[in-house]
């Protein structure tokens, strides 16, 4: 059903399915969340992207390099509130320090672009 929703760009159906799944203690996997995030940002539905991003964190599904690339590229292509940018950057920091996550160069290059775009060089 989620594949159907993504294929048909039906974000509202996808959100409903994710809510139903999590209410019944099922956990969508990281690939599912990344697909949903990617779709939301392609359609410039920042609110839906952050809904799925928060839901992913609530379900204790750790983001990976691809997740951060999706979210940070969304920030580059769409205007995010600075609080949301800082939330993502804080999550990247936590992944690097607390979970010893290895992030690829694409993520770091995108972070640099975000820092310049949003005038956050003091965080560098």
């Amino acid at each position: 059903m989620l594949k159907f929703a993504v294929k048909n760009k039906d974000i509202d159906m996808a959100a409903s399915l994710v809510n139903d799944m999590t209410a019944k203690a099922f956990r969508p996997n990281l690939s599912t969340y990344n697909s949903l995030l990617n779709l939301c940002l392609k359609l410039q539905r920042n609110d839906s992207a952050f809904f799925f991003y928060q839901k992913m964190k609530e379900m204790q599904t750790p983001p990976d390099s691809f997740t951060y690339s999706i979210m940070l590229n969304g920030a580059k292509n769409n205007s995010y509130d600075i609080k949301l940018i800082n939330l993502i950057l804080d999550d990247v920091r936590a992944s690097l320090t607390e979970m010893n996550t290895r992030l690829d160069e694409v993520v770091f290059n995108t972070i640099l672009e975000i820092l310049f775009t949003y005038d956050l060089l003091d965080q560098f």
Side-chain angles (χ1 to χ4, degrees), residues 1 6-7 70 84 115 118:
M1 293 296 292
V6 170
K7 182 178 179 181
I70 292 167
L84 300 177
L115 295 175
Y118 286 86

Side-chain angles (χ1 to χ4, degrees), residues 33-92:
Y33 282 117
N34 284 342
S35 294
L36 294 167
L37 292 170
N38 200 28
L39 173 62
C40 292
L41 293 170
K42 281 183 180 176
L43 297 176
Q44 297 184 342
R45 294 273 307 266
N46 296 351
D47 57 334
S48 296
F50 278 96
F51 165 80
F52 290 119
Y53 186 72
Q54 287 301 113
K55 192 62 95 165
M56 180 182 71
K57 289 173 29 175
E58 286 170 21
M59 295 304 296
Q60 299 177 339
T61 304
D64 64 358
S65 283
F66 192 58
T67 310
Y68 292 128
S69 290
I70 292 167
M71 295 303 290
L72 292 168
N73 277 317
K76 200 169 58 173
N77 299 326
N78 307 317
S79 290
Y80 281 6
D81 182 276
I82 197 70
K83 292 176 192 172
L84 300 177
I85 296 293
N86 284 321
L87 171 74
I88 297 167
L89 293 174
D90 287 344
D91 288 348
V92 170

Side-chain angles (χ1 to χ4, degrees), residues 82 85-86 89 93 108-124:
I82 197 70
I85 296 293
N86 284 321
L89 293 174
R93 278 187 207 97
F108 286 108
N109 288 335
T110 307
I111 289 171
L112 288 173
E113 288 181 62
I114 294 299
L115 295 175
F116 282 107
T117 302
Y118 286 86
D119 195 26
L120 298 171
L121 288 176
D122 58 321
Q123 293 191 33
F124 182 72

Side-chain angles (χ1 to χ4, degrees), residues 6-19:
V6 170
K7 182 178 179 181
N8 290 294
K9 300 178 181 175
D10 190 340
I11 295 170
D12 295 328
M13 178 184 183
S16 177
L17 289 167
V18 168
N19 278 334

